[in-house]
Amino acid sequence: MNDKCGVDPRISRFVLPIGATVNMDGTALFVSVGTVFIAQMNELPLSVGEYATIIVTATAASVASASVPSAALVLILIVLTSVNLPAEDVSLLFAIDWLVDRFRTTNNMLGDCYTAAIVEHWSQDELKAMDAEANAENYSNDVEKAADLTPLVTRQHDADPDSLLHESLTLLKGVNSSITNGKIGNNGEIHVEVESLPRDTNTTKI
């Protein structure tokens, strides 16, 4: 259903397990037809009420049946007993059950697949809303992670070399002593020899 039919996995994971247990329409058909066959073989007439009993009992028994091979042979005993038909004739069905069981299983699984496809078709708006919500949540999480992982940029890397030079000269004002590679005049002027390195290093040597 996911790979070949393209059904959303969220739908198939929910529908198919339930259908494999509850949706036993092939089993219900086999139990009903088998009961009517045994009644006709024994030339026993069935009333409308007995037909209704067969339908209801076969449906309820198929829903409660386990998903194992040849489980319908046990269920047909329940239906035969409910309409007072000879249960010993079930042995006639054992000879063909190995083949009929494959058709029952195919019918059951086709019903599950059709149900999953219909549920997905009806749930398109809900699935799109869930996808949009998940994408928005993932985007916000990615933004938070990117903010946490962004390295802190120091002022030394961000500053321009010329601004670093200006700040260094400002700090030197008012100093009444000689400076290596520079002089301080009487009027407070600072004379400093400056060698600027290439800009890609983002540093200035004073």
Side-chain angles (χ1 to χ4, degrees), residues 1-2 7 11-22 109 111-116:
M1 292 301 294
N2 297 337
V7 175
I11 300 297
S12 61
R13 291 196 203 107
F14 176 76
V15 174
L16 294 181
I18 297 177
T21 304
V22 177
M109 296 310 299
D112 299 339
C113 295
Y114 289 142
T115 303

Side-chain angles (χ1 to χ4, degrees), residues 97-171:
D97 184 69
W98 65 274
L99 179 62
V100 177
D101 190 23
R102 285 149 178 79
F103 292 100
R104 292 200 306 266
T105 303
T106 303
N107 197 5
N108 294 338
M109 296 310 299
L110 281 176
D112 299 339
C113 295
Y114 289 142
T115 303
I118 293 173
V119 170
E120 187 199 27
H121 179 72
W122 286 347
S123 305
Q124 288 295 324
D125 296 337
E126 289 77 5
L127 292 174
K128 291 179 181 179
M130 293 173 62
D131 292 337
E133 183 179 356
N135 292 334
E137 184 177 356
N138 292 335
Y139 177 77
S140 62
N141 292 335
D142 293 340
V143 171
E144 293 178 359
K145 291 180 181 178
D148 295 338
L149 296 177
T150 301
L152 296 176
V153 181
T154 60
R155 189 169 180 272
Q156 180 180 359
H157 294 125
D158 293 338
D160 185 80
D162 295 334
S163 62
L164 289 176
L165 174 61
H166 177 72
E167 293 179 3
S168 300
L169 295 178
T170 303
L171 292 174

